[in-house]
Amino acid sequence: MTIIAIDDEKLALEGLVTEIALAVPEAEVHGFRNGAEALAFCREKDSLDVAFCDIEMKRMNGLTLGEELLKLFPKLNLIYTTGFSEYAVDAIGMRCSGYILKPINAEKIKKELDHLRYPPEEGGAKRLYARTFGKFEVFMDGRPVQFHYQKTKELLALLIDRRGAMCSNAEILENLWEDYDMESSHISYLKNIRRDLISVLEELGCDDCIVRSRGELGILKDRIDCDLYDYLDNRGVAGSDRLFRGEYMSQYWWGEYQIGSIMRGGVDMDGD
């Protein structure tokens, strides 16, 4: 699901983007401080599912912006956000999908998204969504992906952490088992979790995100949606900094070694 949020107040926009991300962690969310920026972005998009739009804005008010957005995407779900209830009649007259009175929180957002005027059409290419901030989790269509082994999930987390760099079997073993040695039984276990990873992704129809070569695995990061990738690609965009709160893949011992580099805007591939 692709969502845009528009509010000309910086703190209000940051809060809105954060609450949307909390309500729908698998969504692709973009924030804008004015209608012109939002329209320029939308003209480059083939589709858009939802727009959260403040009504009272200085340059272009939300009702005017909504009309322009509907010209680009007739089945766009417009959800107006405002502190003034008197705009409700005008908003409803535009056939908007929803109307939220400030203050806005994830619960209010989730309620509107559960009753969209035009639910996003199913079909098309399936994409995984990986949540790395806090405890690692991976979703398909909003549902957590289940693996046969817990270590399979950690293997996927490690590949996502490497951001496309190939990861050798030795690197995987050293990270997934702190007591690793070349003679241990972990080597045969690694074969099982590699097979489990590929099998689960094949069942989901998204195994094309994994690159395999002899003794190495990698991930194609443009084939997966991920909060880490979005954060690093959009540093400086209103609201993005609030999405990372200092926790990264918290259930894995190696995750804490990346926190400093994420805060600097990059990731140390070797975990130093």
Side-chain angles (χ1 to χ4, degrees), residues 125-129 138-140 145 197-198 200-210 219 223-224:
K126 292 184 176 180
R127 290 172 68 91
L128 289 176
Y129 172 77
V138 59
F139 301 88
M140 172 60 76
V145 175
L197 177 62
I198 299 304
V200 171
L201 294 180
E202 284 179 345
E203 289 178 10
L204 295 172
C206 54
D207 56 306
D208 61 346
C209 68
I210 295 292
I219 198 159
R223 303 285 178 87
I224 184 171

Side-chain angles (χ1 to χ4, degrees), residues 174-234:
E174 288 170 1
N175 281 279
L176 267 59
W177 289 278
E178 294 182 81
D179 61 344
Y180 158 70
D181 65 77
M182 289 300 293
E183 304 301 323
S184 74
S185 61
H186 297 325
I187 296 175
S188 60
Y189 191 12
L190 175 58
K191 294 178 182 178
N192 290 335
I193 66 174
R194 280 181 57 132
R195 282 195 294 266
D196 184 34
L197 177 62
I198 299 304
S199 174
V200 171
L201 294 180
E202 284 179 345
E203 289 178 10
L204 295 172
C206 54
D207 56 306
D208 61 346
C209 68
I210 295 292
V211 179
R212 287 170 280 182
S213 66
R214 187 174 181 82
E216 292 184 318
L217 283 177
I219 198 159
L220 293 174
K221 67 188 191 75
D222 61 344
R223 303 285 178 87
I224 184 171
D225 294 323
C226 177
D227 56 356
L228 171 66
Y229 302 163
D230 290 342
Y231 175 77
L232 294 177
D233 290 343
N234 294 284

Side-chain angles (χ1 to χ4, degrees), residues 6-49:
I6 311 98
D7 196 308
D8 62 354
E9 295 290 337
K10 183 176 184 293
L11 291 179
L13 179 60
E14 291 177 350
L16 178 57
V17 170
T18 298
E19 295 302 320
I20 294 171
L22 291 172
V24 277
E26 71 275 15
E28 174 187 340
V29 186
H30 303 270
F32 302 96
R33 290 282 301 278
N34 60 68
E37 291 179 356
L39 287 171
F41 170 83
C42 290
R43 291 187 182 106
E44 300 298 320
K45 299 288 288 184
D46 294 326
S47 64
L48 181 64
D49 298 306

Side-chain angles (χ1 to χ4, degrees), residues 33 54 61 63 66 108 138 171 174 187 203 216 247 250:
R33 290 282 301 278
D54 187 29
N61 70 46
L63 297 175
K108 291 180 180 179
V138 59
E171 289 178 87
E174 288 170 1
I187 296 175
E203 289 178 10
E216 292 184 318
E247 292 189 353
S250 57

Side-chain angles (χ1 to χ4, degrees), residues 79-94:
I79 299 176
Y80 282 108
T81 62
T82 182
F84 306 95
S85 59
E86 60 264 29
Y87 290 114
V89 173
D90 291 332
I92 293 171
M94 290 184 60

